[in-house]
């Protein structure tokens, strides 16, 4: 018989860095879930994405067991990674001069496809490019669909 | 260490960008709320200039408001810790808490009152490490437990006859909890340090090193295990999955370790090396 679901929790946690502090601690601990076990599993499963913010959807059951699904990182995180831009400058009003190529946008779009409401890679790429522009990240070169015109 | 919660109000279409930027300046985790999201950072890690720089950078695109709240650290795992079942490993080792009623005797009995630290025996990696320990001669051996959590493996080493034991962990709760559990098991000669291995005040060589951590930390520390292990010493590693075995073994091979036993359960692994 399937276990009875008691609820769901959605968090965003850095890969490999889950620890029993807030928000994980209070969110899971108050449900009687063994936080240490969640942290061990989450960290082991995200060793290849160390330090990258990852959405995680946790299902917890009446018997206090749990399982979870790790989603793809937000596009903005992947874009920052792609440009190797690091924020944290003490200088206010700093301008980012990062850029990504359409190939990089395509790679990010492919990574994100499972979690996006896009039917084609082209529409996913347009969405990613829009996020890039919002962040002040320039997309260089010509879009593949423009080359075909 | 206390945490700072920033309750952020922001339009949903910009939440992702702000999350990415906050992640870059030290925020560790995020939870969506009705009007935006909550972001969490160690209290002493927030640099206000960094936050203001993000506000300035995106002022033409979006704005956000926030309120801060300090969340004092406490034992968030207390509910689970108050009502779990004891664990028996290979019918030889019992790991139980003071609230358990135990009727049967076992050759090795470990009393653990966990406090937000890892190592109650419920996780596969702890069980597998103890199974390896049961098959490893600890008599009069010097043992290091690197990443001790509740101290369960160090205490097991003591029960198996090790006569010099050091335990380290970077986490303050783990160190405090290990000391409490050492007292419960009358193993007061186990020394405990809050430190990573690189900076630990250890001067000894060990016959056995126990490390149940995670793949990345193990890969980083294997060279140090070599440094701290006596020739032909035993190295027990866990905290990773079957798919990680290749990477772990490549690194151990570099330092002359030979894999002599593998234990697996539900895709989790514990490996025993000599070298």
């Amino acid at each position: 018989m399937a276990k009875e679901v008691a609820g769901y929790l959605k968090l965003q946690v850095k890969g490999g860095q889950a620890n029993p502090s807030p928000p994980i601690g209070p969110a899971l601990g108050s449900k009687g879930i063994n936080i240490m076990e969640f942290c061990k599993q989450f960290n082991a499963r995200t060793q290849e994405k160390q330090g990258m913010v990852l959405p995680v959807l946790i299902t917890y059951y009446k018997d206090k067991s749990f399982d979870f699904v790790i989603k793809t990182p937000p596009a903005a995180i992947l874009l920052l990674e792609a440009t190797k831009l690091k924020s944290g400058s003490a200088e206010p009003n700093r301008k980012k001069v990062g850029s990504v190529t359409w190939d990089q946008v395509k790679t990010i779009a492919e990574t994100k496809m499972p979690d996006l409401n896009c039917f084609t890679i082209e529409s996913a790429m347009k969405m990613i490019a829009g996020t890039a522009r919002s962040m002040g990240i320039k997309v260089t070169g010509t879009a593949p669909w423009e080359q075909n015109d | 260490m206390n945490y700072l919660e920033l309750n952020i109000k922001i339009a949903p279409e910009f939440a992702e960008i702000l999350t990415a930027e906050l992640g870059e300046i030290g925020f560790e985790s995020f939870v969506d709320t009705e009007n935006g999201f909550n972001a969490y950072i160690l209290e002493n890690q927030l640099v206000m200039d960094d936050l203001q720089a993000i506000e300035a950078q995106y002022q033409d695109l979006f704005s956000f408001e926030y309120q801060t709240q300090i969340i004092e650290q406490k034992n968030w795992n207390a509910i689970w810790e108050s009502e779990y079942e004891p664990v028996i490993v290979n019918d030889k080792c019992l790991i139980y808490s003071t609230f358990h009623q135990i009727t049967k005797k076992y050759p090795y009995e470990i009393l653990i009152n966990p406090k937000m630290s890892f190592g109650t025996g419920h996780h596969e990696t702890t069980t597998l490490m103890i199974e390896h320990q049961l098959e490893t001669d600890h008599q009069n051996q010097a043992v290091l437990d690197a990443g001790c959590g509740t101290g369960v493996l160090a205490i097991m080493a003591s029960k198996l006859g090790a006569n010099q034991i050091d335990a380290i962990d970077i986490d303050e709760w783990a160190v405090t909890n290990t000391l409490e559990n050492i007292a419960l098991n009358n193993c007061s000669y186990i020394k405990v340090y809050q430190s990573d291995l690189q900076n630990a005040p250890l001067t000894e060589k060990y016959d056995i090193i126990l490390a149940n951590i995670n793949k990345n930390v193990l890969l980083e520390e294997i060279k140090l295990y070599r440094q701290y292990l006596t020739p032909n010493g035993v190295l027990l590693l866990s905290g990773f999955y079957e798919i990680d075995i290749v990477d772990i073994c490549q690194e151990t091979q570099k330092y002359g370790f030979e894999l002599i036993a593998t234990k697996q359960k539900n895709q989790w692994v514990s490996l025993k090396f000599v070298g």
Side-chain angles (χ1 to χ4, degrees), chain A residues 95-107:
Chain A
K95 291 287 177 199
K96 282 185 176 173
V97 288
S99 65
V100 287
T101 63
W102 278 105
D103 277 347
Q104 285 177 300
V105 170
K106 189 178 179 198
T107 304

Side-chain angles (χ1 to χ4, degrees), chain B residues 34-53:
Chain B
E34 212 169 290
N35 303 314
F37 62 92
N38 289 342
Y40 298 84
I41 188 169
L42 271 170
E43 190 183 2
N44 62 0
Q45 294 291 304
L46 179 61
V47 179
M48 285 311 290
D49 284 352
D50 289 347
L51 195 57
Q52 283 159 6

Side-chain angles (χ1 to χ4, degrees), chain B residues 215-228:
Chain B
K215 177 185 163 184
N216 288 348
V217 172
L218 294 175
L219 290 176
E220 187 68 28
E221 293 195 340
I222 283 167
K223 58 181 177 293
L224 296 172
Y225 302 149
R226 172 72 284 160
Q227 195 181 309
Y228 279 111

Side-chain angles (χ1 to χ4, degrees), chain A residues 12 14 47-48 64 87 96, chain B residues 21 23 30 83 215-216:
Chain A
Q12 293 193 72
K14 284 186 174 172
Q47 290 288 288
E48 307 306 321
K64 302 213 171 114
S87 298
K96 282 185 176 173
Chain B
E21 293 288 358
F30 309 88
E83 52 188 9
K215 177 185 163 184
N216 288 348

Side-chain angles (χ1 to χ4, degrees), chain A residues 10-14 16-17 19-37 40-51 53 64 68 73-77 79-81 85-96 112 130-131 133-136, chain B residues 1 3 14 16-32 40 42 49-50 52-54 56-62 71-74 76-81 83 116-120 122-125 171 212-217 238-241 244 247 268:
Chain A
K10 193 181 164 202
L11 307 170
Q12 293 193 72
V13 183
K14 284 186 174 172
Q17 295 179 14
N19 63 59
S21 301
I24 297 170
L28 299 186
S30 62
K31 311 286 188 294
I33 295 167
N34 185 357
I35 308 165
M36 306 315 296
E37 172 128 3
K40 189 80 170 179
Q41 275 195 42
F42 178 85
N43 290 340
R45 279 168 58 178
T46 56
Q47 290 288 288
E48 307 306 321
K49 290 175 180 162
Q50 184 84 27
V53 176
K64 302 213 171 114
F68 60 89
I77 302 268
L79 283 161
L80 281 181
E81 184 78 9
L85 282 173
K86 292 287 174 200
S87 298
S89 162
E91 184 190 338
N93 293 314
R94 73 202 190 288
K95 291 287 177 199
K96 282 185 176 173
K112 286 294 302 173
T131 305
R133 279 189 284 271
S134 296
M135 297 174 76
Chain B
M1 186 76 75
Y3 270 72
F14 302 117
E16 178 182 313
I17 295 173
L18 186 57
T19 300
E21 293 288 358
L22 294 178
E24 294 286 313
I25 65 167
F27 282 81
E28 294 178 6
S29 38
F30 309 88
V31 183
D32 290 345
Y40 298 84
L42 271 170
D49 284 352
D50 289 347
Q52 283 159 6
I54 293 171
Q57 183 188 337
Y58 289 103
Q59 62 187 353
D60 297 337
L61 186 66
F62 62 80
I71 302 181
E72 288 187 16
Q73 187 68 309
K74 63 175 192 178
W76 304 107
N77 212 29
I79 296 177
W80 181 83
E81 289 165 1
E83 52 188 9
M116 211 158 66
S117 299
F118 184 82
T120 53
H122 293 79
H123 197 263
E124 290 87 342
T125 55
D171 184 69
N212 177 5
I213 312 177
N214 63 47
K215 177 185 163 184
N216 288 348
V217 172
S238 195
F240 49 91
Y241 287 116
D244 302 320
D247 290 345
W268 292 95

